[in-house]
Amino acid sequence: MQDAIDLTVIPLSPACGAEIRGVDLTRKLSAATVRAIKQAWAEHLVLVFRGQSITQDQQLRFAGYFGELGDRKQAPEPLRSRTEGTQQDHKKILLVTNIKVDGQPIGAFGDGEFWFHIDSGYTPRPYKYTFLHGIELPSTGGNTLFANMYKAYEAVPAALKGKLRGKKALHIHEYRRSGKADLAGDISGIPHFHHPVFITHPDTGRKTLFVDRLMTARIEGLDPQESDAILEQLYAIGERPEFIFEHVWQLGDFLMWDNRCTIHARTDFP
C-alpha cells in the first residue's frame, strides 16, 4: 500500500500544473495518499506523474479513487468514424491515436492540432476529470496545453461579467479537432447542451470561465454578431500565454486534469 509520506509536489508553471513524485500507480493507494493527491489537484488543476508503466486495469483503479467512472461518449452514427477505432474496446477508455492497421484507424482523433476544449462539455453532465497515459509518442509535437480558467474568469472585465451574469452558452460537438460547428442548419442530430458562461466549482467554491474555442458556439439571449464578438473576447482571455501550462510528453507520463476549471488543446504533430 502506497503511503502519502512519500509524496512530493513540484509546481511546473505559474499558470497551473504540478508533478507528483513518489507515487507508484501500479500499487493500491492509501486513503491518506489519495487525500494528498486531491489537495494537490485542487491547488494545481493538472497533475503529472512521470515514468508510469501501468496496465489499463491499473489506470481504471487509480481513476476510480476520485469518483464513479464515466462511460466513453458515443458519437451519433453519421459522426462515428471520427471517434471510433477498431481497438476501442473498453467503454470507459478512449484510445487517442493516429495509428492505422490495414488502413483502418485503431482509435480516435488522429493527428494534427486540436483546439482548446472541455471534455464532453457538450453533454448535460460533462466529465469532471480526465486521465491520459502516454504509451507511445509522436516523433515531434503533440504537446498538451492547459489553461487555468480561474485566472481567465478573474481577467474578464467587470462590465462584461455583469452583462454575462446568469447567461448560458451553447456547447456543440461535431467530433472535429478544429473548426466551429455550423449553426445555420438543423443541429438536433449533433450533441449539444447549454451551460452557464460562469460556473462555481463545487469543491473549491471558486468562479471559473466555462467556454472554449472548439465547442462553445453561441451565447443565449444575444444576437449572433454580438455573441460571436464576445465569445472571441472570452476565447482570447482563456488562451492568454500567462494562463497556460504546456506539457511536453515523455514516455510513461500519466496526466490528470479537472475539466471544470481548465481547458486543454493539442499542438500539431505528424
Side-chain angles (χ1 to χ4, degrees), residues 71-87:
D71 290 347
R72 173 165 45 90
K73 308 299 184 191
Q74 295 290 313
E77 189 61 42
L79 306 176
R80 195 155 293 176
S81 63
R82 299 174 187 171
T83 187
E84 288 298 314
T86 60
Q87 294 183 23

Side-chain angles (χ1 to χ4, degrees), residues 82-265:
R82 299 174 187 171
T83 187
E84 288 298 314
T86 60
Q87 294 183 23
Q88 299 278 23
D89 58 1
H90 196 294
K91 66 180 183 178
K92 297 187 184 300
I93 295 283
L94 174 66
L95 178 63
V96 180
T97 179
N98 65 350
I99 295 173
K100 295 182 179 181
V101 174
D102 297 328
Q104 296 296 313
I106 67 170
F109 296 124
D111 46 25
E113 178 189 17
F114 212 138
W115 283 5
F116 275 101
H117 60 283
I118 300 162
D119 284 343
S120 79
Y122 54 92
T123 65
R125 292 184 62 202
Y127 299 128
K128 292 180 180 179
Y129 311 122
T130 304
F131 305 81
L132 186 58
H133 187 210
I135 58 175
E136 191 163 346
L137 303 182
S139 54
T140 59
N143 300 342
T144 307
L145 311 175
F146 296 95
N148 184 329
M149 300 306 274
Y150 291 137
K151 291 181 179 291
Y153 172 79
E154 292 166 1
V156 175
L160 186 54
K161 281 179 181 167
K163 183 179 183 68
L164 297 177
R165 186 170 293 115
K167 290 194 179 299
K168 293 184 176 181
L170 170 66
H171 295 243
I172 184 168
H173 190 22
E174 294 182 312
Y175 290 83
R176 299 184 186 276
R177 297 185 293 277
S178 60
K180 303 297 294 182
D182 181 6
L183 302 184
D186 179 16
I187 66 169
S188 61
I190 305 172
H192 64 278
F193 198 78
H194 289 83
H195 291 290
V197 174
F198 306 128
I199 66 171
T200 301
H201 194 293
D203 298 333
T204 66
R206 298 178 64 187
K207 293 279 191 180
T208 178
L209 175 61
F210 199 77
V211 303
D212 66 81
R213 185 176 295 276
L214 181 63
M215 300 180 193
T216 311
R218 185 65 47 80
I219 299 174
E220 281 188 319
L222 302 181
D223 68 66
Q225 274 192 316
E226 184 180 22
S227 171
D228 289 347
I230 289 176
L231 282 175
E232 283 295 333
Q233 185 178 357
L234 295 177
Y235 302 150
I237 292 171
E239 297 172 15
R240 287 182 184 176
E242 62 267 30
F243 297 161
I244 292 174
F245 158 57
E246 180 170 1
H247 179 72
V248 180
W249 285 86
Q250 298 176 19
L251 200 62
D253 282 354
F254 184 91
L255 268 64
M256 50 197 285
W257 63 89
D258 190 329
N259 285 294
R260 297 166 291 180
C261 52
T262 63
I263 56 176
H264 61 284

